Amino acid sequence: MTLSGRVALVTGASQGIGRACALRLAASGAAVAVAARNQEKLTDLLREIEAAGGKASAFQMDVADEEQIKAAFKAALGQFGKIDILVNNAGITRDQLVMRMKRADWDSVLNTNLTSAYLCIQQVMSSMLKQRWGRIINITSVFGQMGQAGQANYAASKAGLIGLTMAIAREVGSRNITCNAVAPGFIETSMTAVLSEEFKQGAVKMIPLGRVGTTEDVANSVAFLASDEASYITGHVLSVNGGMLMG
């Protein structure tokens, strides 16, 4: 599954799933624009990609800020000339029971996890339409499919990404542009590291494969959807959850 000659942009690339996706896409031959708020972590990521023989550039960007999105994409397009693959990965949580959830926490999660994806897609659409080739991959979540108590904002944002994925797939399919979602289950990241051991053990009991997933499990799925081998797959939600949710 070579991505040689392709240019990918990954949001939320400084850590976790986004970082693993950037490394995997670079290993497959793509030039990678990595975007996130933490410049120090992005610099470390660049060193790792380049040390492995890959090509990458970093763009500091807060996806909650529309002007920063526009500026970063303009800079990336100016440097690389195109963006073939967009991975909308950036996301946050602000967990609370809905009866106690502050409006600011609802808005923050929806803006970061969902609205940013719509804004990023807009930035690459002209380039993809012009070249009649593109891969848009949105990182959703198993909780966008099954819900989760205490995460109404997060679940709503991730469910919204699934709807967005299908709408975009219908809009641009005739131009050889695919849009798919990857729905990770319980993955070992900094976001899940803060959860209690009791919660983690309970989660593993719900997973038929009997283990927590890795960021590489997700990144491999993203690399496949970005490739020519996945050219007849669009509007699909690829579950990477060890069997936690079926059907």
Side-chain angles (χ1 to χ4, degrees), residues 106-247:
W106 173 273
D107 288 345
S108 180
V109 171
L110 267 291
N111 286 338
T112 300
N113 297 5
L114 179 57
T115 303
S116 70
Y118 139 74
L119 292 170
C120 290
I121 289 169
Q122 280 191 327
Q123 300 307 307
V124 300
M125 196 54 70
S126 293
S127 173
M128 290 182 178
L129 288 171
K130 189 177 297 182
Q131 66 190 23
R132 287 183 169 269
W133 199 97
R135 298 285 187 268
I136 299 167
I137 303 163
N138 299 318
I139 306 300
T140 179
S141 168
V142 67
F143 296 130
Q145 299 170 298
M146 61 184 283
Q148 174 73 343
Q151 288 194 317
N153 48 4
Y154 183 78
S157 70
K158 293 301 187 177
L161 273 177
I162 292 173
L164 176 67
T165 296
M166 294 178 181
I168 298 299
R170 291 185 183 277
E171 285 189 15
V172 299
S174 64
R175 298 299 184 93
N176 199 34
I177 300 168
T178 68
C179 185
N180 293 290
V182 173
F186 195 76
I187 306 297
E188 193 63 63
T189 66
S190 59
M191 192 178 286
T192 59
V194 299
L195 299 173
S196 68
E197 194 58 37
E198 182 182 4
F199 182 92
K200 292 179 182 179
Q201 290 176 3
V204 170
K205 290 178 182 178
M206 297 170 60
I207 303 171
L209 287 183
R211 69 173 177 89
V212 174
T214 68
T215 55
E216 287 75 22
D217 290 326
V218 182
N220 288 334
S221 300
V222 169
F224 166 66
L225 290 174
S227 72
D228 284 328
E229 282 78 356
S231 63
Y232 201 56
I233 301 172
T234 196
H236 179 68
V237 182
L238 178 56
S239 294
V240 185
N241 61 35
M244 186 177 178
L245 178 69
M246 301 185 190

Side-chain angles (χ1 to χ4, degrees), residues 55-72:
K55 180 181 179 181
S57 291
F59 301 88
Q60 193 169 17
M61 177 180 76
D62 182 349
V63 296
D65 186 321
E66 183 174 355
E67 293 309 312
Q68 287 192 38
I69 289 175
K70 290 178 178 179

Side-chain angles (χ1 to χ4, degrees), residues 64-84:
D65 186 321
E66 183 174 355
E67 293 309 312
Q68 287 192 38
I69 289 175
K70 290 178 178 179
F73 274 82
K74 183 178 180 180
L77 285 165
Q79 178 170 335
F80 292 106
K82 62 176 182 172
I83 295 173
D84 302 295

